[in-house]
Amino acid sequence: MKTLSFSCELSNGVHARPASHVEALCNQFSSDITWQNQRTGMSGNAKSVLSLIGTDTLLGDECLITIKGQDEDVAMEQLQRFLNNEFPHCDTPLQGNENGHHIDLMPLPRNFANLEVKHHQGRSVSQGVGRGTLSVMGAVSFDNLNDLPPVLALSDEKLQMKNGLELVIKSISIQLESAQCTESEVLKAHLSIVNDVEFQQTLTSHLTQSQSCANAIITTAQHFANMVKKSASQYMIERELDIRDVCYQLLQSIYGDERFASQTQLSEPTVCLAEDLTPSQFLELDKSLLKGLILTSGGSTSHTVILARSFAIPTIIGLDAKQLNESIGQPVIIDGHLGAVVTEITDPVERYYSQEQKIKDIVATRQAKYRDLAAKTHDGKAIEVAANIAHSVEARPAFEQGAESVGLFRTEMLYMDRSCAPDENELYNIFCQAIESAGGKPIIVRTIDIGGDKPVGYLNIPAESNPFLGYRAVRIYSEFIDLFKTQLRAILRASAHGNLKIMIPMISSMEEILWVKDVLSEVRQALRKEEVPFAERVPLGIMLEVPSVAFIIDQCCEEVDFFSIGSNDLTQYLMAVDRDNDKVTKHYNSLNPAFLRTLDHVVREVHRHGKWIGLCGELGAKGSVLPLLVGLSLDEISMSAPSIAATKERISKLDSRECRQLLNRAMDCRTIHEVEHVLAQFRMNQTQAPMVSKDCISLDRDLRSKEEVIKTLADNLFVTGRCRYPNKLADDLWAREDVFSTGLGFGFAIPHTKSEHIEQSAISVCRLAKPIEWGDEQAQFIIMLTLNKHAAGDQHMKIFSKLARKIMHADFRDRLMTASTAEQIETLLKQELELV
Ligand code: PEP
Ligand code: MG
């Protein structure tokens, strides 16, 4: 007999994952191996994950391992080596876990923060607002399983159990083959539970006590769950879920999904709380009932998050699940704009969100008119508005949101978070799926942009100190030539079924273009030889994101069919500024005149050569910059799908010639600040809305607090097209209220600001049905002044003091309070303030 002592150094103790490593090693030997925790006195079979978990071994516990049998010497030697070298690393955090990392929380708008509602904040990774019952996903429950199947003869039950176990093992093993890192670790732990000797023995012993498989499984689950629950560690207690999960799979494999239905089924509007969800679990959920997702361990780039975005499911990550414990089973609101989960739905909260919904509906109805039309400026110039997608499942929602084409299909996601690259058929199917959703519209598939800052484990590309300037995109293709060729083959094969184009990322020289063309013609040749169908004329394009290309653009036009400007990278390379470095982000600005001149040069050159050029970086969705992009005469702008309808609407209001003049003025500017000023002036002059107009006047409103008034009036300025960011405008108004409340007495208040967030200066009016508290005063008649920061000097104060003087007169006040229409108030204010 041999013994080994050691101290447990795992911060979460020996839970399922480390236990499965110990079990796997111990099962290689015939000797009996016992693990005893000296603190608890509990001992267990080291060949069983569940026994090991049952010893409740926590950080710092002293343990004694006893080995008895023929191969005890070799077993001891290997266990010793394992415990010294590998065991301490058995519980490194799983990838993609943002927990524990600092997450910058978005500052809450004052109109929300002032409500002081019970809420928890995380990081929003998918916008929108949803409401439903908070329920934990992934937690299988045995509580409501009534009417269990009857007991059969022992031999039949044993056979059922044997087949069931085999089926679960097979199913987990298949999932493991394509599992991503995190998922694969969890699956391995599950596999070791099903294979566990103690687990299987317990099942059998219940069968021999004349129980059915169903009863045996449930009792076994409860037995081991109780054992784990006794642990002093919260982390270990949470592993109980793994046991329940496996047992439920076993029930399903024996009795079928009809008898034991999938518990990811939703029965009411639900906000799901989960540690993480696999993409397939997400896809299984009924989207008409899924109102929001809270992923406590999810990363912002996981496939599930990408899918959530494309299905417009509000999603928040980085929240501590414990904070939400009390709210499970209760109605909550998930706010994907603010990254907040509201757990107490008070009356002010209801009113806040019903106002949000109202604005959303108004905007959606207005934009719906543009969604299905081809984008055109007011003077009739067409500019295609396309979608950026990262998976084929995003294609359908993108076209539904008005995409005229896919301007960028980023394919690297298809290679990330998995243990090996997708094969040709998998890729082919994915591209065909996108084609099916496109209904003949074009899709630009960008070949993989991996390496550098987008690591893919199985390629074993060493970490670099300067990843953005390093080994990425087209630069890795010659080393991973099979990977590249496989992708080209898949795209070409899919091209037989639809309108595909190929685009190469990070091209910086003619050599790279020529090399790519050679490889492409080799691949075409091979397909022809194999008589595999593909479209002969699949256009080839390049990303224009490395500045060197701008200087050989004429030569590039001779070699490729089209270009797409990658403004994210082009900005960072042109300005030599790392956009992830806080110290230099102020230099990362696409309004730099040097950047605008570069864009103008490349677009002109490309058009001079009769070729096509689009833009697919984040800049495309920036409404404030849109007039400059229209001024460039780009053929297309590609962006994430939710921005498409709004962009089409904005384009329809622009005049292409005015936009060109604006661009010329911007390129003549010497600084970014000057460009911003020119842009702000342009917006101001776009629609010369009068300072007072009836669409900013509302009478006898049921608003119940200062917050509601400021929010409603600022939102209205957004709806009427005078302001882009109502929350920011409202924050500016609040900044002044903080210094002194603007109640003037007599039931009047004049909140005011001079702000960069109002494009068309306005005087908004709101007469309330009942007076409300306004600081120390009561107010029933609110006149809100919002003046553009770039507007003439002291106009703001002049209007304010004139108004304040007028309000001193009872006659003026009476006329405002008794006016029966918005028009009457409009006329009165215009006259008295001499604004005509
Ligand atoms: C870009 O650089 O602008 C671009 C679209 O590519 P990515 O963001 O994928 O690097
Ligand atoms: Mg790029």
Side-chain angles (χ1 to χ4, degrees), residues 408 410 446 449 454 472 543 545 566-569 616-617:
L408 173 66
R410 287 184 168 101
R446 183 176 75 180
D449 185 5
K454 296 175 186 161
R472 64 176 280 206
M543 291 283 292
E545 51 188 349
S567 54
N568 307 341
D569 278 323
C616 61

Side-chain angles (χ1 to χ4, degrees), residues 98-105 123 318:
E98 302 217 4
N99 257 356
H101 290 268
H102 173 73
I103 289 188
D104 281 329
L105 299 181
R123 180 144 75 89

